[in-house]
């Protein structure tokens, strides 16, 4: 652990560098992130108003992190330096996960500030704190899972292939979710709709956190095996 934290800090700096911060030619990457932040952090919340605080909307914003983790993981695994240890590999993956998660937190925070600034009632209006903590925690563990899955795919295939696999996998899960919620059996749709409350989403987030935690541990064990045999 004493060597892991400094390694994560170093890889975090490398992740920011690859994202364009302080790197020559990184203006395009910075501009894209800025545009995404303006659209999702200002324009949409301003248009939605207090509807932005709906638990489903807050949850969706928390899981925006998964979209940012995918390219960050691919770029980390494609970096020129060869990973020599499991600690360094985990540092790369954790830094990528934290990078994606941090962006989603910033965008969500920006959205909350926008809603309150545009509709000020004399006091800040925020989502249920337990809901917010639950979905952000699930999002963090989900980000670590995506980064770990990307790391495993990059080792088995290549970094670009891993990026493609993660993107299609994410789109596939999203498409399956939409099909089940729109065209699935009515009993399923009714049961799912009943969960779209603060307490229901908190319960789902805790279940997702447990599932992600198990998958994270399993993937880390798989990724460690080649270094133990070396």
């Amino acid at each position: 652990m004493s060597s892991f934290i400094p390694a994560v800090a170093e890889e975090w700096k490398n992740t920011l560098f690859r994202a364009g911060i302080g790197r020559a030619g990184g203006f395009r990457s910075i501009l894209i992130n800025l545009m995404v932040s303006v659209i999702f952090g200002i324009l949409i919340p301003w248009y939605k108003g207090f509807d932005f605080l709906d638990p489903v909307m807050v949850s969706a914003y928390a899981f925006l992190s998964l979209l940012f983790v995918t390219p960050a993981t691919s770029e980390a695994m494609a970096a020129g330096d060869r990973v020599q240890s499991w600690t360094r590999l985990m540092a790369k993956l954790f830094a990528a996960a934290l990078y994606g998660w941090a962006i989603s937190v910033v965008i969500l925070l920006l959205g909350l500030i926008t809603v309150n600034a545009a509709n000020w009632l004399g006091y800040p209006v925020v989502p249920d704190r337990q809901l917010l903590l639950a979905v952000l925690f699930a999002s963090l563990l989900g980000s670590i899972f995506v980064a770990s899955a990307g790391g495993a795919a990059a080792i088995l295939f290549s970094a670009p292939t891993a990026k493609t696999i993660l993107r299609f996998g994410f789109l596939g899960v999203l498409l399956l979710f939409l099909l089940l919620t729109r065209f699935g059996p009515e009993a399923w749709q009714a049961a799912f709709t009943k969960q779209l409350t603060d307490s229901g989403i908190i319960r789902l987030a805790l279940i997702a956190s447990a599932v992600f935690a198990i998958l994270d541990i399993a993937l880390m064990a798989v990724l460690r095996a080649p270094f133990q045999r070396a």
Side-chain angles (χ1 to χ4, degrees):
M1 181 62 69
S2 59
S3 61
F4 178 69
I5 295 178
V8 172
E10 181 182 346
E11 289 299 333
W12 171 262
K13 294 178 182 178
N14 293 337
T15 301
L16 294 180
F17 183 83
R18 287 189 292 267
I21 300 176
R23 175 170 63 89
F27 177 75
R28 180 174 176 272
S29 178
I30 295 175
L31 182 61
I32 291 174
N33 286 334
L34 181 61
M35 289 177 61
V36 170
S37 299
V38 170
I39 293 172
F40 287 94
I42 298 178
L43 296 181
I44 292 178
W46 175 80
Y47 173 76
K48 298 288 292 186
F50 286 122
D51 286 342
F52 179 77
L53 304 180
D54 180 84
V56 176
M57 180 71 74
V58 172
S59 302
Y61 265 64
F63 279 91
L64 282 175
S65 60
L66 305 186
L67 295 176
F68 297 101
V69 171
T70 298
T73 302
S74 176
E75 291 170 8
M77 296 302 294
D81 56 317
R82 184 175 180 274
V83 179
Q84 299 289 343
S85 68
W86 181 76
T87 299
R88 177 58 62 177
L89 174 61
M90 286 296 101
K92 281 179 174 288
L93 300 180
F94 268 71
L98 289 173
Y99 170 77
W101 185 75
I103 292 179
S104 68
V105 171
V106 169
I107 292 176
L108 179 56
L109 180 60
L110 186 58
L112 297 178
I113 292 173
T114 299
V115 169
N116 280 277
N119 307 275
W120 183 246
L121 299 178
Y123 56 90
V125 180
V126 296
D128 179 82
R129 288 173 177 79
Q130 290 184 343
L131 168 73
L132 198 57
L133 290 174
V135 296
L136 286 177
F137 183 64
S139 169
L140 176 59
L141 293 179
S143 298
I144 295 173
F145 166 71
V146 171
S148 299
I155 291 174
L156 290 174
F157 306 104
S158 66
T161 302
K163 188 175 183 179
T164 301
I165 291 174
L166 290 179
R167 281 182 171 175
F168 278 98
F170 182 82
L171 290 175
V173 171
L174 181 59
L175 180 60
L176 179 62
F177 174 78
L178 292 175
L179 289 175
L180 289 177
T181 54
R182 281 185 171 272
F183 305 106
E186 292 185 4
W188 291 9
Q189 297 183 43
F192 178 75
T193 302
K194 289 181 180 179
Q195 300 299 317
L196 301 183
T197 61
D198 285 2
S199 59
I201 290 179
I202 290 173
R203 184 165 51 251
L204 291 175
L206 292 177
I207 294 173
S209 296
V211 172
F212 282 136
I214 293 172
L215 293 174
D216 290 341
I217 294 172
L219 275 173
M220 289 178 194
V222 170
L223 290 169
R224 187 169 190 172
F227 295 100
Q228 290 180 321
R229 291 195 298 265

